[in-house]
Amino acid sequence: GFELTLRLQREDGETSPPTWPAELMQGLARYVFTSGNVLCPGDHVSWHVPLDNGDSRIQHMLMVEDAQLTPVASSCGITHFVQILGVCQEELKA
């Protein structure tokens, strides 16, 4: 199996975490559940709207292996950690 991770830099003056990352991850989880597809390192997901629901140019996601979290083995199998990396159109084409 896999678990999604996402890291954000705290903005100046930010006192509480933003809610959009949880909403984004819920949308991805809904896609995985309804389609039966899995998200693997190397995958690309076009969201077609800013990931933060604002005016950001970041509308695409690359799935990468989370370099800080190693896979975890349990009685249910191995869980891999897949990090969401937000990119804009120009970065996606590069």
Side-chain angles (χ1 to χ4, degrees):
F2 70 97
E3 289 289 336
L4 294 174
T5 64
L6 179 73
R7 292 186 182 80
L8 293 175
Q9 182 174 338
R10 182 180 295 188
E11 298 291 331
D12 290 337
E14 191 173 55
T15 59
S16 60
T19 58
W20 69 263
E23 294 166 4
L24 178 71
M25 294 172 108
Q26 285 176 338
L28 288 169
R30 191 175 311 109
Y31 162 76
V32 168
F33 181 76
T34 58
S35 70
N37 295 328
V38 296
L39 297 171
C40 301
D43 285 347
H44 155 248
V45 177
S46 289
W47 209 242
H48 305 292
V49 295
L51 300 185
D52 66 357
N53 296 316
D55 58 357
S56 172
R57 296 181 325 131
I58 299 175
Q59 298 186 8
H60 306 275
M61 293 169 272
L62 300 177
M63 302 300 155
V64 299
E65 184 176 328
D66 192 312
Q68 295 181 353
L69 299 172
T70 57
V72 174
S74 72
S75 60
C76 296
I78 297 176
T79 300
H80 296 271
F81 294 94
V82 179
Q83 185 174 3
I84 300 168
L85 179 64
V87 295
C88 64
Q89 183 68 29
E90 296 81 8
E91 293 169 321
L92 184 63
K93 289 182 178 180

